[in-house]
Amino acid sequence: MAAVAAKDGGAKAQGVKWWLLFTVHGRGIPPIAHLDSDSPRWQKLEAEALLMDFVTWLVVCKPSGKRINTRTARKYVSQVISWMRRVYSVDFAGGLDLTNLRDLLKGMRRELGDSPKRERYGVQTQQLQEAMDRFLPRNASASAQAWRAALASAFCGLLRGCEVALPEGEAFDCLRHLTRADVSFRTLPDGRRVAVLMIRQAKSEVGFTGKTVPVFLVGGGCFIDPVAELEELFRLSPVSKNEAARTPLFADDNGRAFTRAQVSAMVKRLMAGLGLDPARFGAHSLRIGGA
């Protein structure tokens, strides 16, 4: 069950939600067909046909109000099949080779085409500095400073949204998510300050048992200085050594850790404040812009 981030076996995946809507509410049939390798072939083909109807409904009927392209429909089908296998130990259509379904997806892609992926923009250095100074001024509040420190750290450390904040569906866990104890400060021989963040790297099986990846942030930048922002956060919102390991590094005034969705919303809000299209930006824009 923990193979997926939400630890629910994939039950909350968008593809599974659409499948339940299509089968239970649309067709009035059970979402699971318990077929095995010995089941009659006509039953297996009937199950495949249902999945083909599901794909057609997704792409043609626009249940979300917007077009779902065939690439996304293919992903949703994979989510449904994986969910059935993981949670119910059922191979879809009794393990039938879904040749007709693959041909349908390929044919729909050729006939209808796929809408191009929306290009994501990176936040530029001067844009981030201007936006923070205008909308998150220093010393405004502890939470505003936490945002400044989070944005600067993600930008300069090339951090993903789920590395600087909580991924969707996860509760704060001091063994997995950034805490005050995961930050240490050093001084280089030339006098520059350095902050070291120990993180659990996303999209890697290395370090599943803890935070093993150090991220080095060097201070002294003329536009953005992540070390200065972190030190100001520690000054404005001090935490005792005993509490540091249990306190989220980036949190609101109530002590709740920022989520990846909140980071995305903040980046959109800041870029919209500069007159840019917020739809082009998100949490990953910090990593793109930093790179």
Side-chain angles (χ1 to χ4, degrees), residues 192-208:
R192 287 181 298 167
R193 294 283 284 165
V194 175
V196 183
L197 275 61
M198 292 300 299
I199 72 167
R200 177 182 173 275
Q201 190 175 21
K203 297 190 177 182
S204 171
E205 294 190 1
V206 178
F208 260 23

Side-chain angles (χ1 to χ4, degrees), residues 172-175 177-185 211 234 237-251 255:
F172 178 73
D173 182 351
C174 60
L175 299 178
H177 307 125
L178 283 172
T179 70
R180 290 291 185 93
D182 295 322
V183 183
S184 59
F185 297 98
K211 303 162 190 171
F234 278 58
S237 179
V239 173
S240 68
K241 288 185 178 181
N242 293 335
E243 294 294 322
R246 297 190 293 270
T247 303
L249 177 57
F250 304 121

Side-chain angles (χ1 to χ4, degrees), residues 75-265:
K75 181 183 74 173
Y76 288 165
V77 166
S78 297
Q79 290 174 349
V80 170
I81 293 174
S82 297
W83 166 69
M84 289 184 179
R85 184 179 296 124
R86 188 179 294 119
V87 180
Y88 296 98
S89 300
V90 171
D91 279 325
F92 194 88
L96 180 73
D97 184 12
L98 303 174
T99 304
N100 293 325
L101 174 65
R102 288 197 294 271
D103 282 349
L104 173 66
L105 284 164
K106 187 182 296 184
M108 292 179 78
R109 189 170 187 178
R110 284 180 173 163
E111 292 293 329
L112 304 176
D114 268 346
S115 57
K117 287 185 176 180
R118 173 170 288 179
E119 184 181 1
R120 289 183 293 181
Y121 292 170
V123 175
Q124 296 180 15
T125 311
Q126 292 88 336
Q127 291 172 344
L128 182 58
Q129 181 249 341
E130 180 185 354
M132 289 197 302
D133 289 346
R134 284 175 57 181
F135 307 111
L136 296 168
R138 276 203 176 96
N139 302 321
S141 67
S143 63
Q145 185 57 42
W147 274 116
R148 290 182 64 98
L151 295 168
S153 297
F155 183 86
C156 295
L158 309 185
L159 300 178
R160 298 179 177 90
C162 57
E163 291 170 343
V164 75
L166 299 188
E168 279 73 13
E170 290 192 21
F172 178 73
D173 182 351
C174 60
L175 299 178
R176 297 163 56 84
H177 307 125
L178 283 172
T179 70
R180 290 291 185 93
D182 295 322
V183 183
S184 59
F185 297 98
R186 307 175 188 177
T187 303
L188 297 178
D190 62 5
R192 287 181 298 167
R193 294 283 284 165
V194 175
V196 183
L197 275 61
M198 292 300 299
I199 72 167
R200 177 182 173 275
Q201 190 175 21
K203 297 190 177 182
S204 171
E205 294 190 1
V206 178
F208 260 23
T209 56
K211 303 162 190 171
T212 59
V213 179
V215 175
F216 295 88
L217 304 173
V218 182
C222 56
F223 291 105
I224 300 172
D225 189 332
V227 180
E229 301 293 355
L230 284 166
E231 289 183 321
E232 183 64 13
L233 172 63
F234 278 58
R235 187 189 70 81
L236 279 178
S237 179
V239 173
S240 68
K241 288 185 178 181
N242 293 335
E243 294 294 322
R246 297 190 293 270
T247 303
L249 177 57
F250 304 121
D252 60 22
D253 288 331
N254 295 317
R256 293 175 299 218
F258 294 156
T259 65
R260 193 213 66 82
Q262 288 175 322
V263 173
S264 179

Side-chain angles (χ1 to χ4, degrees), residues 57-70:
W57 175 70
L58 287 173
V59 176
V60 177
C61 297
K62 303 179 182 179
S64 67
K66 299 179 181 179
R67 185 188 168 198
I68 297 175
N69 62 38
T70 54

Side-chain angles (χ1 to χ4, degrees), residues 269-287:
R269 194 188 101 191
L270 294 178
M271 296 301 102
L274 298 181
L276 302 173
D277 180 6
R280 294 289 190 175
F281 296 89
H284 207 69
S285 295
L286 296 168
R287 180 175 166 90

